[in-house]
């Protein structure tokens, strides 16, 4: 699935072959060039430009026809083979989920957010560094639990969290410092409206001294009324490992990564 479809497939499903479209070599590492045909639905060119995605002939199926398609096809025999993208990204994400260092590994920061997300809640992430790691490593179990926009707009993570909160949906927005003026404006509006949600801000500093502190602070923030900001030290330089695994970031027009080749 692309990052816009996260949750359609569970993270631990054999049918989940990884989240694609964020980096230059994603579709190549998925092995799409070796197939006779790619059957696709809901394709967004902002996530899957034809020149990167169409490595084999593409048949697009409208979402409304998926039910009929499912009645016509039969499972292929044998196991679903893995792919290089999933394997390479797992080597970055899996150790990161249990990394005990401060500043936190971005994958650990994402896992913490997932761990404290209330039932029926949603995580929203700002396109860029935070959005990349949330889209890459958020362990999805249900559709609609994570939203990372395909196009970059300042303040969008906070705006989406505010919209969710106004509809009674618990929300955690993930962004990076410094907080931009648009996001600050959204937070001011949220306060005026009496909305409650959490903003997890990835930066160089913050009151987290032990890796366990992040979950404790998020849990406390989720229980607080109004808008609550959690400042978190995150080692954003580890993004170079993603670049080494799957190539330069191409989502949102690209993302400069220090130390990446």
């Amino acid at each position: 699935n692309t990052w816009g479809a996260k949750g359609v497939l569970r993270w631990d499903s054999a049918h989940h072959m990884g989240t694609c479209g964020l980096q230059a070599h994603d579709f190549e590492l998925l092995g799409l060039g070796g197939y006779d045909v790619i059957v696709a639905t809901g394709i967004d060119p902002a996530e899957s430009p034809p020149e990167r995605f169409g490595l084999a002939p593409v048949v697009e199926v409208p979402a409304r026809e998926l039910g009929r398609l499912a009645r016509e096809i039969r499972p292929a025999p044998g196991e679903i083979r893995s792919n290089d993208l999933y394997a390479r990204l797992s080597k970055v994400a899996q150790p990161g989920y249990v990394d005990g260092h401060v500043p936190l590994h971005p994958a650990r920061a994402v896992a913490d957010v997932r761990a404290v997300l209330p039932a029926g809640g949603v995580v929203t992430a700002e396109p860029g560094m935070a959005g990349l790691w949330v889209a890459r490593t958020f362990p999805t179990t249900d559709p609609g639990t994570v939203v990372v926009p395909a196009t970059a707009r300042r303040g969008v993570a906070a705006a989406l969290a505010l919209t969710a909160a106004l509809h009674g949906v618990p929300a955690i927005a993930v962004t990076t410092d410094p907080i931009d003026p648009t996001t600050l404006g959204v937070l001011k509006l949220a306060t005026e409206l009496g909305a409650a949600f959490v903003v997890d801000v990835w930066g160089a500093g913050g009151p987290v001294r032990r890796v366990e502190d992040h979950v404790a602070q998020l849990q406390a923030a989720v229980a607080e009324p109004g808008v609550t900001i959690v400042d978190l030290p995150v080692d954003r330089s580890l993004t170079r490992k993603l670049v080494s695994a799957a190539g330069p970031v191409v989502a949102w027009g690209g993302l400069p990564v220090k130390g990446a080749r």
Side-chain angles (χ1 to χ4, degrees):
N1 56 256
T2 64
W3 70 94
K6 286 186 74 69
V8 171
L9 298 169
R10 287 181 57 93
W11 71 271
D12 56 353
S13 168
H15 298 280
H16 181 219
M17 301 176 72
T19 300
C20 58
L22 291 153
Q23 293 175 244
H25 304 319
D26 283 8
F27 298 115
E28 173 189 343
L29 292 170
L30 277 172
L32 295 189
Y35 287 96
D36 297 322
V37 65
I38 300 167
V39 180
T41 189
I43 297 302
D44 182 347
E47 295 180 321
S48 308
E51 64 271 18
R52 287 203 302 271
F53 167 62
L55 301 182
V58 177
V59 175
E60 286 201 50
V61 179
R64 64 179 180 275
E65 297 294 335
L66 289 175
R68 186 166 69 169
L69 175 65
R71 292 191 295 271
E72 297 295 329
I73 61 176
R74 297 291 180 268
E79 295 183 1
I80 300 172
R81 67 175 186 258
S82 187
N83 60 78
D84 289 341
L85 178 64
Y86 197 93
R88 290 189 182 199
L89 294 177
S90 292
K91 288 181 179 179
V92 178
Q94 293 297 335
Y97 289 140
V98 294
D99 193 300
H101 293 90
V102 177
L104 270 68
H105 192 296
R108 177 61 184 264
V110 173
D112 289 349
V113 170
R114 179 65 184 89
V116 304
L117 183 67
V122 62
V123 172
T124 67
E126 197 78 18
M129 191 69 68
L132 173 66
W133 281 98
V134 171
R136 272 286 180 235
T137 63
F138 188 89
T140 50
T141 53
D142 300 288
T145 54
V146 57
V147 179
V148 184
T151 55
R153 296 289 186 273
R154 288 188 177 183
V156 68
L160 289 167
L162 171 57
T163 302
L166 292 175
H167 286 82
V169 177
I172 301 175
V174 183
T175 188
T176 55
D177 73 352
I179 299 179
D180 64 87
T182 305
T183 296
L184 290 174
V186 173
L187 300 185
K188 181 175 182 294
L189 175 61
T191 301
E192 293 171 353
L193 294 174
F197 60 89
V198 179
V199 186
D200 203 37
V201 182
W202 294 4
V208 171
R209 298 292 176 262
R210 303 174 306 154
V211 69
E212 296 84 3
D213 293 346
H214 185 217
V215 165
Q217 290 183 16
L218 285 173
Q219 287 174 330
V222 166
E224 288 288 328
V227 176
T228 307
I229 295 175
V230 175
D231 290 309
L232 177 69
V234 172
D235 188 354
R236 291 182 279 185
S237 71
L238 292 172
T239 305
R240 68 182 185 275
K241 292 190 175 183
L242 288 181
V243 173
S244 296
V249 179
V250 293
W252 316 296
L255 183 67
V257 177
K258 292 182 179 179
R261 296 182 179 179

